[in-house]
mmCIF file of all heavy atoms in Angstrom:
data_model
loop_
_atom_site.group_PDB
_atom_site.id
_atom_site.type_symbol
_atom_site.label_atom_id
_atom_site.label_comp_id
_atom_site.label_asym_id
_atom_site.label_seq_id
_atom_site.Cartn_x
_atom_site.Cartn_y
_atom_site.Cartn_z
ATOM 1 N N MET A 253 10.958 -3.604 -6.070
ATOM 2 C CA MET A 253 9.699 -3.499 -5.406
ATOM 3 C C MET A 253 9.769 -2.156 -4.509
ATOM 4 O O MET A 253 10.697 -1.907 -3.951
ATOM 5 C CB MET A 253 9.544 -4.686 -4.404
ATOM 6 C CG MET A 253 8.112 -4.848 -3.887
ATOM 7 S SD MET A 253 7.792 -6.641 -3.622
ATOM 8 C CE MET A 253 7.834 -6.695 -1.884
ATOM 9 N N ARG A 254 8.728 -1.482 -4.561
ATOM 10 C CA ARG A 254 8.696 -0.157 -3.872
ATOM 11 C C ARG A 254 8.018 -0.303 -2.617
ATOM 12 O O ARG A 254 7.080 -1.239 -2.270
ATOM 13 C CB ARG A 254 8.084 0.831 -4.680
ATOM 14 C CG ARG A 254 6.579 0.660 -4.965
ATOM 15 C CD ARG A 254 5.987 1.937 -5.678
ATOM 16 N NE ARG A 254 4.734 2.078 -5.413
ATOM 17 C CZ ARG A 254 3.714 2.236 -6.265
ATOM 18 N NH1 ARG A 254 3.926 2.154 -7.517
ATOM 19 N NH2 ARG A 254 2.474 2.417 -5.954
ATOM 20 N N ASP A 255 8.358 0.471 -1.634
ATOM 21 C CA ASP A 255 7.736 0.538 -0.259
ATOM 22 C C ASP A 255 6.397 1.233 -0.315
ATOM 23 O O ASP A 255 6.310 2.262 -0.939
ATOM 24 C CB ASP A 255 8.607 1.225 0.779
ATOM 25 C CG ASP A 255 10.001 0.512 0.951
ATOM 26 O OD1 ASP A 255 9.901 -0.723 0.780
ATOM 27 O OD2 ASP A 255 10.982 1.205 1.182
ATOM 28 N N THR A 256 5.408 0.634 0.254
ATOM 29 C CA THR A 256 4.098 1.189 0.344
ATOM 30 C C THR A 256 3.748 1.618 1.783
ATOM 31 O O THR A 256 3.948 0.789 2.642
ATOM 32 C CB THR A 256 2.925 0.457 -0.295
ATOM 33 O OG1 THR A 256 2.918 -0.841 0.322
ATOM 34 C CG2 THR A 256 3.153 0.172 -1.801
ATOM 35 N N LYS A 257 3.277 2.695 1.967
ATOM 36 C CA LYS A 257 2.822 3.106 3.324
ATOM 37 C C LYS A 257 1.383 3.016 3.460
ATOM 38 O O LYS A 257 0.614 3.388 2.550
ATOM 39 C CB LYS A 257 3.258 4.608 3.671
ATOM 40 C CG LYS A 257 4.658 4.800 3.674
ATOM 41 C CD LYS A 257 4.976 6.153 3.976
ATOM 42 C CE LYS A 257 6.558 6.419 4.107
ATOM 43 N NZ LYS A 257 6.860 7.811 4.431
ATOM 44 N N LYS A 258 0.767 2.627 4.517
ATOM 45 C CA LYS A 258 -0.598 2.462 4.789
ATOM 46 C C LYS A 258 -0.916 3.333 5.928
ATOM 47 O O LYS A 258 -0.244 3.451 6.907
ATOM 48 C CB LYS A 258 -0.961 1.036 5.083
ATOM 49 C CG LYS A 258 -0.689 -0.005 3.944
ATOM 50 C CD LYS A 258 -1.354 -1.273 4.272
ATOM 51 C CE LYS A 258 -1.066 -2.190 2.979
ATOM 52 N NZ LYS A 258 -1.892 -3.293 2.916
ATOM 53 N N TYR A 259 -2.068 4.094 5.735
ATOM 54 C CA TYR A 259 -2.517 5.020 6.736
ATOM 55 C C TYR A 259 -3.902 4.646 7.157
ATOM 56 O O TYR A 259 -4.679 4.181 6.377
ATOM 57 C CB TYR A 259 -2.579 6.459 6.103
ATOM 58 C CG TYR A 259 -1.292 6.955 5.710
ATOM 59 C CD1 TYR A 259 -0.902 6.823 4.350
ATOM 60 C CD2 TYR A 259 -0.464 7.509 6.593
ATOM 61 C CE1 TYR A 259 0.446 7.226 3.926
ATOM 62 C CE2 TYR A 259 0.770 8.110 6.277
ATOM 63 C CZ TYR A 259 1.228 7.920 4.931
ATOM 64 O OH TYR A 259 2.551 8.443 4.510
ATOM 65 N N LYS A 260 -4.208 4.922 8.305
ATOM 66 C CA LYS A 260 -5.534 4.666 9.011
ATOM 67 C C LYS A 260 -6.257 5.979 8.849
ATOM 68 O O LYS A 260 -5.776 7.013 9.526
ATOM 69 C CB LYS A 260 -5.460 4.275 10.449
ATOM 70 C CG LYS A 260 -5.015 2.852 10.637
ATOM 71 C CD LYS A 260 -6.022 1.910 10.552
ATOM 72 C CE LYS A 260 -5.490 0.551 10.948
ATOM 73 N NZ LYS A 260 -6.649 -0.499 10.886
ATOM 74 N N LEU A 261 -7.387 6.071 8.044
ATOM 75 C CA LEU A 261 -8.125 7.287 7.895
ATOM 76 C C LEU A 261 -9.576 7.088 8.587
ATOM 77 O O LEU A 261 -10.085 6.195 8.540
ATOM 78 C CB LEU A 261 -8.254 7.655 6.499
ATOM 79 C CG LEU A 261 -7.018 7.883 5.694
ATOM 80 C CD1 LEU A 261 -7.395 8.007 4.155
ATOM 81 C CD2 LEU A 261 -6.273 9.074 6.147
ATOM 82 N N SER A 262 -9.916 8.242 9.191
ATOM 83 C CA SER A 262 -11.248 8.202 9.783
ATOM 84 C C SER A 262 -12.257 8.295 8.634
ATOM 85 O O SER A 262 -11.864 8.554 7.480
ATOM 86 C CB SER A 262 -11.455 9.269 10.754
ATOM 87 O OG SER A 262 -11.489 10.558 10.044
ATOM 88 N N TYR A 263 -13.561 8.007 8.904
ATOM 89 C CA TYR A 263 -14.565 8.160 7.995
ATOM 90 C C TYR A 263 -14.552 9.591 7.379
ATOM 91 O O TYR A 263 -14.737 9.621 6.170
ATOM 92 C CB TYR A 263 -15.945 7.747 8.630
ATOM 93 C CG TYR A 263 -16.996 7.991 7.738
ATOM 94 C CD1 TYR A 263 -17.366 7.171 6.677
ATOM 95 C CD2 TYR A 263 -17.869 9.220 7.869
ATOM 96 C CE1 TYR A 263 -18.450 7.446 5.841
ATOM 97 C CE2 TYR A 263 -18.953 9.492 7.087
ATOM 98 C CZ TYR A 263 -19.233 8.578 5.985
ATOM 99 O OH TYR A 263 -20.355 8.801 5.229
ATOM 100 N N ASP A 264 -14.568 10.578 8.218
ATOM 101 C CA ASP A 264 -14.589 11.972 7.696
ATOM 102 C C ASP A 264 -13.446 12.307 6.849
ATOM 103 O O ASP A 264 -13.632 12.933 5.821
ATOM 104 C CB ASP A 264 -14.588 12.928 8.869
ATOM 105 C CG ASP A 264 -16.022 12.872 9.532
ATOM 106 O OD1 ASP A 264 -16.962 12.519 9.067
ATOM 107 O OD2 ASP A 264 -15.964 13.073 10.894
ATOM 108 N N GLU A 265 -12.332 11.961 7.151
ATOM 109 C CA GLU A 265 -11.073 12.029 6.409
ATOM 110 C C GLU A 265 -11.204 11.443 4.934
ATOM 111 O O GLU A 265 -10.955 11.965 3.886
ATOM 112 C CB GLU A 265 -9.764 11.561 6.966
ATOM 113 C CG GLU A 265 -9.373 12.306 8.196
ATOM 114 C CD GLU A 265 -8.385 11.716 9.057
ATOM 115 O OE1 GLU A 265 -8.237 10.479 9.054
ATOM 116 O OE2 GLU A 265 -7.573 12.490 9.719
ATOM 117 N N THR A 266 -11.616 10.175 4.903
ATOM 118 C CA THR A 266 -11.869 9.479 3.684
ATOM 119 C C THR A 266 -12.985 10.140 2.783
ATOM 120 O O THR A 266 -12.806 10.433 1.596
ATOM 121 C CB THR A 266 -12.294 7.956 3.976
ATOM 122 O OG1 THR A 266 -11.261 7.376 4.835
ATOM 123 C CG2 THR A 266 -12.463 7.181 2.721
ATOM 124 N N ARG A 267 -13.961 10.703 3.454
ATOM 125 C CA ARG A 267 -15.097 11.280 2.786
ATOM 126 C C ARG A 267 -14.597 12.529 2.173
ATOM 127 O O ARG A 267 -14.901 12.868 0.960
ATOM 128 C CB ARG A 267 -16.208 11.551 3.682
ATOM 129 C CG ARG A 267 -17.623 12.080 3.044
ATOM 130 C CD ARG A 267 -18.668 12.288 4.058
ATOM 131 N NE ARG A 267 -18.237 13.155 5.139
ATOM 132 C CZ ARG A 267 -18.351 14.486 5.071
ATOM 133 N NH1 ARG A 267 -18.985 15.071 3.982
ATOM 134 N NH2 ARG A 267 -18.023 15.242 6.126
ATOM 135 N N ILE A 268 -13.842 13.415 2.920
ATOM 136 C CA ILE A 268 -13.301 14.566 2.264
ATOM 137 C C ILE A 268 -12.263 14.347 1.159
ATOM 138 O O ILE A 268 -12.437 14.963 0.093
ATOM 139 C CB ILE A 268 -12.584 15.421 3.412
ATOM 140 C CG1 ILE A 268 -13.540 15.976 4.406
ATOM 141 C CG2 ILE A 268 -11.766 16.573 2.774
ATOM 142 C CD1 ILE A 268 -12.979 16.490 5.724
ATOM 143 N N ILE A 269 -11.480 13.375 1.267
ATOM 144 C CA ILE A 269 -10.575 13.037 0.149
ATOM 145 C C ILE A 269 -11.406 12.500 -1.078
ATOM 146 O O ILE A 269 -11.083 13.025 -2.225
ATOM 147 C CB ILE A 269 -9.619 11.882 0.573
ATOM 148 C CG1 ILE A 269 -8.667 12.535 1.596
ATOM 149 C CG2 ILE A 269 -8.772 11.280 -0.582
ATOM 150 C CD1 ILE A 269 -7.787 11.528 2.353
ATOM 151 N N ILE A 270 -12.300 11.599 -0.887
ATOM 152 C CA ILE A 270 -13.106 11.174 -2.055
ATOM 153 C C ILE A 270 -13.894 12.272 -2.683
ATOM 154 O O ILE A 270 -13.989 12.407 -3.964
ATOM 155 C CB ILE A 270 -14.024 10.024 -1.581
ATOM 156 C CG1 ILE A 270 -13.266 8.833 -1.286
ATOM 157 C CG2 ILE A 270 -14.982 9.706 -2.672
ATOM 158 C CD1 ILE A 270 -13.996 7.706 -0.804
ATOM 159 N N MET A 271 -14.426 13.247 -1.906
ATOM 160 C CA MET A 271 -15.117 14.308 -2.500
ATOM 161 C C MET A 271 -14.297 15.255 -3.311
ATOM 162 O O MET A 271 -14.611 15.698 -4.372
ATOM 163 C CB MET A 271 -15.981 15.113 -1.466
ATOM 164 C CG MET A 271 -17.113 14.398 -0.789
ATOM 165 S SD MET A 271 -17.903 15.277 0.572
ATOM 166 C CE MET A 271 -18.439 16.638 -0.150
ATOM 167 N N SER A 272 -13.042 15.479 -2.754
ATOM 168 C CA SER A 272 -12.047 16.204 -3.503
ATOM 169 C C SER A 272 -11.639 15.590 -4.806
ATOM 170 O O SER A 272 -11.465 16.240 -5.784
ATOM 171 C CB SER A 272 -10.837 16.559 -2.655
ATOM 172 O OG SER A 272 -11.222 17.207 -1.452
ATOM 173 N N LEU A 273 -11.532 14.295 -4.830
ATOM 174 C CA LEU A 273 -11.114 13.642 -6.057
ATOM 175 C C LEU A 273 -12.197 13.643 -6.966
ATOM 176 O O LEU A 273 -12.000 13.805 -8.201
ATOM 177 C CB LEU A 273 -10.649 12.148 -5.643
ATOM 178 C CG LEU A 273 -9.404 11.949 -4.896
ATOM 179 C CD1 LEU A 273 -9.270 10.447 -4.420
ATOM 180 C CD2 LEU A 273 -8.255 12.313 -5.852
ATOM 181 N N ILE A 274 -13.520 13.615 -6.623
ATOM 182 C CA ILE A 274 -14.630 13.674 -7.581
ATOM 183 C C ILE A 274 -14.667 15.027 -8.155
ATOM 184 O O ILE A 274 -14.834 15.138 -9.403
ATOM 185 C CB ILE A 274 -15.856 13.387 -6.768
ATOM 186 C CG1 ILE A 274 -15.977 11.770 -6.347
ATOM 187 C CG2 ILE A 274 -17.181 13.757 -7.600
ATOM 188 C CD1 ILE A 274 -17.001 11.342 -5.581
ATOM 189 N N GLU A 275 -14.319 16.063 -7.433
ATOM 190 C CA GLU A 275 -14.281 17.425 -7.851
ATOM 191 C C GLU A 275 -13.249 17.481 -8.946
ATOM 192 O O GLU A 275 -13.316 18.101 -9.964
ATOM 193 C CB GLU A 275 -14.119 18.437 -6.920
ATOM 194 C CG GLU A 275 -15.281 18.783 -6.033
ATOM 195 C CD GLU A 275 -15.032 19.755 -4.938
ATOM 196 O OE1 GLU A 275 -14.152 20.598 -5.053
ATOM 197 O OE2 GLU A 275 -15.682 19.691 -3.833
ATOM 198 N N LEU A 276 -11.990 16.914 -8.632
ATOM 199 C CA LEU A 276 -10.880 16.946 -9.722
ATOM 200 C C LEU A 276 -11.292 16.223 -10.871
ATOM 201 O O LEU A 276 -11.022 16.617 -12.031
ATOM 202 C CB LEU A 276 -9.687 16.243 -8.986
ATOM 203 C CG LEU A 276 -8.497 16.014 -9.930
ATOM 204 C CD1 LEU A 276 -7.986 17.356 -10.428
ATOM 205 C CD2 LEU A 276 -7.363 15.280 -9.130
ATOM 206 N N ARG A 277 -11.923 15.014 -10.653
ATOM 207 C CA ARG A 277 -12.442 14.158 -11.865
ATOM 208 C C ARG A 277 -13.410 14.964 -12.731
ATOM 209 O O ARG A 277 -13.192 15.057 -14.003
ATOM 210 C CB ARG A 277 -13.128 12.945 -11.264
ATOM 211 C CG ARG A 277 -13.565 12.020 -12.472
ATOM 212 C CD ARG A 277 -14.189 10.681 -11.789
ATOM 213 N NE ARG A 277 -14.457 9.842 -12.884
ATOM 214 C CZ ARG A 277 -15.705 9.849 -13.585
ATOM 215 N NH1 ARG A 277 -16.642 10.745 -13.132
ATOM 216 N NH2 ARG A 277 -15.934 9.028 -14.412
ATOM 217 N N ASN A 278 -14.327 15.749 -12.053
ATOM 218 C CA ASN A 278 -15.230 16.508 -12.878
ATOM 219 C C ASN A 278 -14.526 17.631 -13.675
ATOM 220 O O ASN A 278 -14.888 17.902 -14.763
ATOM 221 C CB ASN A 278 -16.370 17.143 -11.948
ATOM 222 C CG ASN A 278 -17.269 16.047 -11.482
ATOM 223 O OD1 ASN A 278 -17.415 15.062 -12.045
ATOM 224 N ND2 ASN A 278 -17.902 16.465 -10.320
ATOM 225 N N GLN A 279 -13.562 18.196 -12.999
ATOM 226 C CA GLN A 279 -12.727 19.285 -13.676
ATOM 227 C C GLN A 279 -11.986 18.637 -14.870
ATOM 228 O O GLN A 279 -11.936 19.358 -16.039
ATOM 229 C CB GLN A 279 -11.738 19.924 -12.738
ATOM 230 C CG GLN A 279 -10.998 21.030 -13.380
ATOM 231 C CD GLN A 279 -10.034 21.678 -12.253
ATOM 232 O OE1 GLN A 279 -9.830 21.093 -11.159
ATOM 233 N NE2 GLN A 279 -9.444 22.727 -12.546
ATOM 234 N N LEU A 280 -11.412 17.481 -14.718
ATOM 235 C CA LEU A 280 -10.651 16.836 -15.781
ATOM 236 C C LEU A 280 -11.591 16.532 -17.054
ATOM 237 O O LEU A 280 -11.283 16.648 -18.122
ATOM 238 C CB LEU A 280 -9.980 15.649 -15.354
ATOM 239 C CG LEU A 280 -8.747 15.850 -14.401
ATOM 240 C CD1 LEU A 280 -8.260 14.556 -13.852
ATOM 241 C CD2 LEU A 280 -7.588 16.659 -15.046
ATOM 242 N N ILE A 281 -12.803 16.064 -16.612
ATOM 243 C CA ILE A 281 -13.889 15.829 -17.593
ATOM 244 C C ILE A 281 -14.201 17.102 -18.474
ATOM 245 O O ILE A 281 -14.276 17.042 -19.773
ATOM 246 C CB ILE A 281 -15.118 15.106 -17.067
ATOM 247 C CG1 ILE A 281 -14.667 13.698 -16.642
ATOM 248 C CG2 ILE A 281 -16.296 15.059 -18.077
ATOM 249 C CD1 ILE A 281 -15.813 13.100 -15.795
ATOM 250 N N GLU A 282 -14.384 18.223 -17.726
ATOM 251 C CA GLU A 282 -14.692 19.430 -18.387
ATOM 252 C C GLU A 282 -13.577 19.849 -19.298
ATOM 253 O O GLU A 282 -13.785 20.420 -20.509
ATOM 254 C CB GLU A 282 -14.894 20.512 -17.482
ATOM 255 C CG GLU A 282 -16.240 20.450 -16.610
ATOM 256 C CD GLU A 282 -16.384 21.479 -15.696
ATOM 257 O OE1 GLU A 282 -15.704 22.481 -15.602
ATOM 258 O OE2 GLU A 282 -17.383 21.449 -14.844
ATOM 259 N N GLU A 283 -12.371 19.602 -19.001
ATOM 260 C CA GLU A 283 -11.196 19.960 -19.864
ATOM 261 C C GLU A 283 -10.914 18.854 -20.960
ATOM 262 O O GLU A 283 -9.932 19.088 -21.699
ATOM 263 C CB GLU A 283 -9.962 20.163 -18.889
ATOM 264 C CG GLU A 283 -10.065 21.172 -17.960
ATOM 265 C CD GLU A 283 -8.913 21.287 -16.941
ATOM 266 O OE1 GLU A 283 -7.933 20.387 -17.071
ATOM 267 O OE2 GLU A 283 -8.963 22.181 -16.104
ATOM 268 N N GLY A 284 -11.617 17.783 -20.901
ATOM 269 C CA GLY A 284 -11.430 16.808 -21.896
ATOM 270 C C GLY A 284 -10.199 15.917 -21.689
ATOM 271 O O GLY A 284 -9.627 15.320 -22.626
ATOM 272 N N ARG A 285 -9.756 15.816 -20.498
ATOM 273 C CA ARG A 285 -8.594 15.045 -20.101
ATOM 274 C C ARG A 285 -8.932 13.760 -19.486
ATOM 275 O O ARG A 285 -10.089 13.464 -19.070
ATOM 276 C CB ARG A 285 -7.590 15.919 -19.229
ATOM 277 C CG ARG A 285 -7.202 17.221 -19.817
ATOM 278 C CD ARG A 285 -6.539 18.093 -18.796
ATOM 279 N NE ARG A 285 -5.356 17.455 -18.185
ATOM 280 C CZ ARG A 285 -4.781 18.029 -17.222
ATOM 281 N NH1 ARG A 285 -5.164 19.149 -16.694
ATOM 282 N NH2 ARG A 285 -3.672 17.453 -16.581
ATOM 283 N N TYR A 286 -8.023 12.785 -19.501
ATOM 284 C CA TYR A 286 -8.163 11.425 -18.996
ATOM 285 C C TYR A 286 -8.358 11.527 -17.416
ATOM 286 O O TYR A 286 -7.753 12.360 -16.782
ATOM 287 C CB TYR A 286 -7.114 10.546 -19.306
ATOM 288 C CG TYR A 286 -6.883 10.314 -20.742
ATOM 289 C CD1 TYR A 286 -5.899 10.914 -21.537
ATOM 290 C CD2 TYR A 286 -7.812 9.419 -21.427
ATOM 291 C CE1 TYR A 286 -5.841 10.580 -22.889
ATOM 292 C CE2 TYR A 286 -7.740 9.245 -22.803
ATOM 293 C CZ TYR A 286 -6.667 9.728 -23.515
ATOM 294 O OH TYR A 286 -6.565 9.500 -24.819
ATOM 295 N N THR A 287 -9.281 10.605 -16.974
ATOM 296 C CA THR A 287 -9.528 10.537 -15.557
ATOM 297 C C THR A 287 -9.136 9.167 -14.964
ATOM 298 O O THR A 287 -9.460 8.885 -13.861
ATOM 299 C CB THR A 287 -10.998 10.715 -15.285
ATOM 300 O OG1 THR A 287 -11.688 9.721 -15.944
ATOM 301 C CG2 THR A 287 -11.488 12.221 -15.762
ATOM 302 N N ASP A 288 -8.457 8.379 -15.693
ATOM 303 C CA ASP A 288 -8.084 7.057 -15.258
ATOM 304 C C ASP A 288 -7.368 6.973 -13.893
ATOM 305 O O ASP A 288 -7.771 6.148 -13.064
ATOM 306 C CB ASP A 288 -7.177 6.393 -16.297
ATOM 307 C CG ASP A 288 -7.757 6.216 -17.597
ATOM 308 O OD1 ASP A 288 -9.141 6.347 -17.618
ATOM 309 O OD2 ASP A 288 -7.113 5.967 -18.657
ATOM 310 N N ALA A 289 -6.343 7.784 -13.685
ATOM 311 C CA ALA A 289 -5.634 7.771 -12.451
ATOM 312 C C ALA A 289 -6.580 8.150 -11.235
ATOM 313 O O ALA A 289 -6.480 7.480 -10.159
ATOM 314 C CB ALA A 289 -4.428 8.753 -12.527
ATOM 315 N N VAL A 290 -7.274 9.223 -11.506
ATOM 316 C CA VAL A 290 -8.190 9.582 -10.402
ATOM 317 C C VAL A 290 -9.296 8.509 -10.160
ATOM 318 O O VAL A 290 -9.596 8.254 -8.895
ATOM 319 C CB VAL A 290 -8.989 10.928 -10.726
ATOM 320 C CG1 VAL A 290 -9.926 11.288 -9.641
ATOM 321 C CG2 VAL A 290 -7.800 12.071 -10.910
ATOM 322 N N ASP A 291 -9.766 7.982 -11.226
ATOM 323 C CA ASP A 291 -10.747 6.766 -11.033
ATOM 324 C C ASP A 291 -10.094 5.611 -10.170
ATOM 325 O O ASP A 291 -10.829 5.060 -9.265
ATOM 326 C CB ASP A 291 -11.274 6.329 -12.269
ATOM 327 C CG ASP A 291 -12.053 7.393 -13.130
ATOM 328 O OD1 ASP A 291 -12.620 8.252 -12.508
ATOM 329 O OD2 ASP A 291 -12.028 7.211 -14.273
ATOM 330 N N ASP A 292 -8.868 5.290 -10.525
ATOM 331 C CA ASP A 292 -8.263 4.205 -9.748
ATOM 332 C C ASP A 292 -8.136 4.517 -8.229
ATOM 333 O O ASP A 292 -8.292 3.749 -7.464
ATOM 334 C CB ASP A 292 -6.915 4.031 -10.319
ATOM 335 C CG ASP A 292 -6.965 3.261 -11.670
ATOM 336 O OD1 ASP A 292 -8.014 2.767 -12.121
ATOM 337 O OD2 ASP A 292 -5.841 3.382 -12.399
ATOM 338 N N ILE A 293 -7.716 5.777 -7.862
ATOM 339 C CA ILE A 293 -7.635 6.147 -6.528
ATOM 340 C C ILE A 293 -8.947 6.156 -5.760
ATOM 341 O O ILE A 293 -9.003 5.695 -4.667
ATOM 342 C CB ILE A 293 -6.964 7.527 -6.449
ATOM 343 C CG1 ILE A 293 -5.465 7.519 -6.982
ATOM 344 C CG2 ILE A 293 -6.885 8.074 -4.924
ATOM 345 C CD1 ILE A 293 -4.792 8.825 -7.198
ATOM 346 N N ILE A 294 -9.984 6.688 -6.479
ATOM 347 C CA ILE A 294 -11.253 6.686 -5.884
ATOM 348 C C ILE A 294 -11.717 5.194 -5.609
ATOM 349 O O ILE A 294 -12.269 5.008 -4.498
ATOM 350 C CB ILE A 294 -12.338 7.413 -6.740
ATOM 351 C CG1 ILE A 294 -12.025 8.879 -6.797
ATOM 352 C CG2 ILE A 294 -13.755 7.076 -6.230
ATOM 353 C CD1 ILE A 294 -12.850 9.635 -7.828
ATOM 354 N N ALA A 295 -11.477 4.203 -6.561
ATOM 355 C CA ALA A 295 -11.915 2.947 -6.255
ATOM 356 C C ALA A 295 -11.070 2.312 -5.204
ATOM 357 O O ALA A 295 -11.680 1.639 -4.345
ATOM 358 C CB ALA A 295 -11.571 2.120 -7.582
ATOM 359 N N LYS A 296 -9.784 2.618 -5.037
ATOM 360 C CA LYS A 296 -9.029 2.050 -3.932
ATOM 361 C C LYS A 296 -9.529 2.610 -2.547
ATOM 362 O O LYS A 296 -9.505 1.852 -1.520
ATOM 363 C CB LYS A 296 -7.536 2.343 -4.086
ATOM 364 C CG LYS A 296 -6.880 1.538 -5.195
ATOM 365 C CD LYS A 296 -5.535 1.894 -5.386
ATOM 366 C CE LYS A 296 -4.923 1.045 -6.536
ATOM 367 N NZ LYS A 296 -3.368 1.443 -6.728
ATOM 368 N N LEU A 297 -9.915 3.843 -2.476
ATOM 369 C CA LEU A 297 -10.355 4.476 -1.207
ATOM 370 C C LEU A 297 -11.710 3.984 -0.914
ATOM 371 O O LEU A 297 -12.080 3.866 0.288
ATOM 372 C CB LEU A 297 -10.224 5.998 -1.257
ATOM 373 C CG LEU A 297 -8.906 6.609 -1.218
ATOM 374 C CD1 LEU A 297 -9.088 8.101 -1.370
ATOM 375 C CD2 LEU A 297 -8.307 6.351 0.187
ATOM 376 N N SER A 298 -12.526 3.689 -1.857
ATOM 377 C CA SER A 298 -13.863 3.261 -1.590
ATOM 378 C C SER A 298 -13.966 1.826 -1.134
ATOM 379 O O SER A 298 -14.990 1.486 -0.620
ATOM 380 C CB SER A 298 -14.736 3.359 -2.941
ATOM 381 O OG SER A 298 -14.644 4.822 -3.331
ATOM 382 N N SER A 299 -12.959 1.056 -1.463
ATOM 383 C CA SER A 299 -13.167 -0.382 -1.039
ATOM 384 C C SER A 299 -12.628 -0.691 0.284
ATOM 385 O O SER A 299 -12.056 0.084 1.022
ATOM 386 C CB SER A 299 -12.267 -1.291 -2.035
ATOM 387 O OG SER A 299 -11.038 -0.933 -2.038
#
């Protein structure tokens, strides 16, 4: 079992991270690459 760290992020920090991940996802789509990992992280941060 691996150790997981949990961080408290402010609304602004979360918003910046999600926007950056969306930009990365769009770039991966343009390159024709898989976006599964990025989608998973966006879903975890959004919930």
Side-chain angles (χ1 to χ4, degrees):
M253 193 148 107
R254 71 177 205 229
D255 295 327
T256 58
K257 295 183 180 182
K258 295 193 178 195
Y259 297 96
K260 291 273 186 176
L261 299 174
S262 70
Y263 172 78
D264 290 331
E265 291 169 329
T266 304
R267 187 176 60 86
I268 290 169
I269 293 169
I270 290 175
M271 289 176 61
S272 298
L273 288 168
I274 290 171
E275 287 181 27
L276 174 61
R277 183 178 182 275
N278 290 339
Q279 183 180 10
L280 291 172
I281 289 171
E282 286 178 10
E283 295 173 3
R285 297 170 60 189
Y286 292 107
T287 62
D288 298 343
V290 177
D291 293 337
D292 290 342
I293 296 170
I294 291 172
K296 286 179 183 180
L297 285 173
S298 297
S299 61

